[in-house]
Amino acid sequence: MRKSVKMITFATKVQKNVLFQQSTIRMKPQRASLKDLAAHLGVSIATVSRALRNSHEVSEEMKRKVKQLAKEMNYRPNPFAQNLRREAARSIGVVLPNLVTHYYAAVLDGIEDRARKDGYCVISANSHENHVREETAIDNFVGLHVEGIIACLAQDTIDYSHFLEINRMGIPLVFFARTCLPEVFSSVVANGDEAAQQATEHLINTGSKRIAFVGGPNHLDMVKRRKHGYLEALRAHRIPIDRSLVACGKIDYDEARNATLALLERDDRPDAILAFNDIITFAAFDAIKSKGLRIPQDVAIIGFTDADTSAYVTPKLSVIMDQAHLQGEKACELLLRNINGDKRIYKEIVPMILKIRESSDKT
């Protein structure tokens, strides 16, 4: 008897659980389709579609009814389905090395703002600084039939064959920031060499004598430009170049912090640091602080970043501002030109802005 009671109790619990799951499924809000809207209003799907597009073929009263019902029934247009109906994929793909950083997020924002004006949607992919993921992202974009691609190289990309394949396929592609194959693809870059030279000269003019450069991988053109500007400033002021003060490695917070610590632990430590990007800038800033050194009295620092956080640390960071949003807009503009038939190769240079704050001036 006890066994049968237990079995009935168990069955009852199972029944209740199933009923609960079914009610939960029924309660989930479903997105309405054009067909649902049309059936509810007793009109054709074409009429609903025209009303949502503000077509002159539909009365203002019908437009109002359709839009109100669409809101009530949680209707959302499917841009991919719309593109397929038009037989044109109005979308572009963007490959970014590290989407969580302020710089790449701001570039993407600029791309989206410009793309929206021409009716394009933007699909982004994060390579996580890995060339395999970069290649996969490119393949996925081809499969999605994007009209063009904007890309920034992963830091470990040294084989560019996947980009050449895109060119052979006739798919427009534009690079920004970290570029390659300038004879094949248009690009948008910053004047990193001039900006680095200007920043280094500021450090020299305000009392720094041993200036280190903490950068990324030497094969990246972006690193080469900024390091070149730094070296040019030293040469212009007849300061002997000490190659041991140039620390170029992986773009990684922990590695940059350790590289900075190694510089600061020397007997002849640097009294100023020029940092390659936002990740390296904040890693170097933290390393200086962790050694109990004063900024800028003991070690001055300037970094390449226009992240808002640079103004919220103590002391406030002097920075070289990327104008990242503008770079994104320019890259998208070049891509749209290519999509629309302009096959010329462009190189746009967006000027950077040196913003002096408390971290660099020893005077």
Side-chain angles (χ1 to χ4, degrees):
M1 175 66 80
R2 287 182 181 177
K3 186 175 180 182
S4 63
V5 171
K6 285 181 180 178
M7 288 179 66
I8 291 169
T9 304
F10 175 75
T12 303
K13 286 181 178 179
V14 171
Q15 250 183 345
K16 286 181 178 179
N17 188 43
V18 169
L19 288 171
F20 174 76
Q21 289 177 349
Q22 288 175 341
S23 65
T24 303
I25 291 169
R26 284 197 296 271
M27 288 170 62
K28 287 182 180 178
Q30 298 295 319
R31 286 188 177 181
S33 65
L34 287 176
K35 184 178 179 181
D36 296 329
L37 299 181
H40 193 88
L41 291 169
V43 297
S44 69
I45 293 174
T47 297
V48 172
S49 178
R50 292 187 187 107
L52 291 172
R53 288 186 283 109
N54 289 316
S55 171
H56 67 277
E57 299 172 282
V58 180
S59 69
E60 292 301 318
E61 178 63 15
M62 180 55 70
K63 290 177 187 177
R64 185 190 65 76
K65 287 182 179 180
V66 170
K67 290 176 182 178
Q68 179 61 32
L69 183 63
K71 185 176 181 180
E72 292 172 359
M73 294 183 68
N74 195 31
Y75 169 75
R76 295 289 187 275
N78 184 335
F80 294 102
Q82 291 172 338
N83 289 338
L84 289 171
R85 283 194 292 272
R86 294 190 200 108
E87 296 183 356
R90 305 284 292 178
S91 59
I92 60 176
V94 181
V95 188
L96 303 151
N98 189 345
L99 188 51
V100 299
T101 65
H102 177 273
Y103 171 73
Y104 292 113
V107 169
L108 181 61
D109 194 50
I111 292 170
E112 289 177 341
D113 282 350
R114 180 62 188 85
R116 192 180 300 113
K117 292 177 182 178
D118 277 34
Y120 283 83
C121 66
V122 176
I123 311 167
S124 62
N126 192 344
S127 73
H128 297 276
E129 296 284 13
N130 181 276
H131 72 281
V132 175
R133 289 194 179 192
E134 177 182 275
E135 291 175 15
T136 300
I138 295 293
D139 287 342
N140 290 340
F141 287 152
V142 172
L144 288 168
H145 300 283
V146 298
E147 288 195 26
I149 296 171
I150 298 172
C152 179
L153 294 176
Q155 64 174 303
D156 66 348
T157 297
I158 55 175
D159 178 1
Y160 310 132
S161 57
H162 50 303
F163 295 117
L164 289 172
E165 181 62 24
I166 288 295
N167 185 59
R168 283 192 289 271
M169 294 170 68
I171 300 174
L173 186 147
V174 170
F175 283 108
F176 74 91
R178 307 178 195 167
T179 70
C180 66
L181 305 169
E183 70 284 357
V184 179
F185 299 107
S186 292
S187 62
V188 175
V189 298
N191 62 335
D193 49 351
E194 295 175 12
Q197 184 168 352
Q198 185 182 2
T200 306
E201 287 178 346
H202 163 74
L203 290 169
I204 294 168
N205 293 333
T206 53
S208 296
K209 300 183 183 343
R210 285 181 55 76
I211 303 167
F213 177 81
V214 183
N218 281 309
H219 68 270
L220 291 176
D221 61 327
M222 192 180 188
V223 175
K224 292 176 183 177
R225 288 193 297 271
R226 296 179 182 185
K227 184 167 64 174
H228 176 74
Y230 153 79
L231 294 172
E232 283 298 295
L234 298 181
R235 293 187 185 101
H237 287 265
R238 303 184 187 282
I239 295 175
I241 294 172
D242 183 348
R243 295 288 175 181
S244 68
L245 292 179
V246 178
C248 287
K250 187 178 179 182
I251 301 172
D252 175 82
Y253 186 92
D254 290 334
E255 289 202 18
R257 189 177 185 276
N258 290 335
T260 305
L261 287 172
L263 288 169
L264 298 176
E265 287 164 1
R266 294 168 43 158
D267 292 335
D268 57 346
R269 71 166 186 248
D271 59 2
I273 292 173
L274 178 64
F276 167 71
N277 71 352
D278 44 7
I279 292 173
I280 291 174
T281 296
F282 287 106
F285 187 89
D286 182 55
I288 297 168
K289 287 274 195 174
S290 72
K291 298 297 289 183
L293 297 168
R294 299 168 302 161
I295 302 173
Q297 294 88 344
D298 298 322
V299 184
I301 181 171
I302 298 179
F304 280 83
T305 178
D306 56 0
D308 294 336
T309 47
S310 62
Y312 302 149
V313 296
T314 303
K316 294 180 180 179
L317 265 170
S318 294
V319 293
I320 303 163
M321 299 173 66
D322 299 293
Q323 297 205 79
H325 189 278
L326 181 57
Q327 289 181 32
E329 289 181 326
K330 293 285 188 184
C332 189
E333 176 62 38
L334 292 187
L335 184 68
L336 293 174
R337 285 188 201 176
N338 199 326
I339 289 171
N340 291 324
D342 187 348
K343 302 306 179 185
R344 287 174 291 182
I345 296 172
Y346 295 91
K347 182 177 181 180
E348 290 273 355
I349 299 177
V350 176
M352 305 184 93
I353 301 169
L354 177 61
K355 190 169 186 64
I356 300 302
R357 297 194 182 108
E358 300 166 352
S359 71
S360 63
D361 193 346
K362 296 183 178 182
T363 58

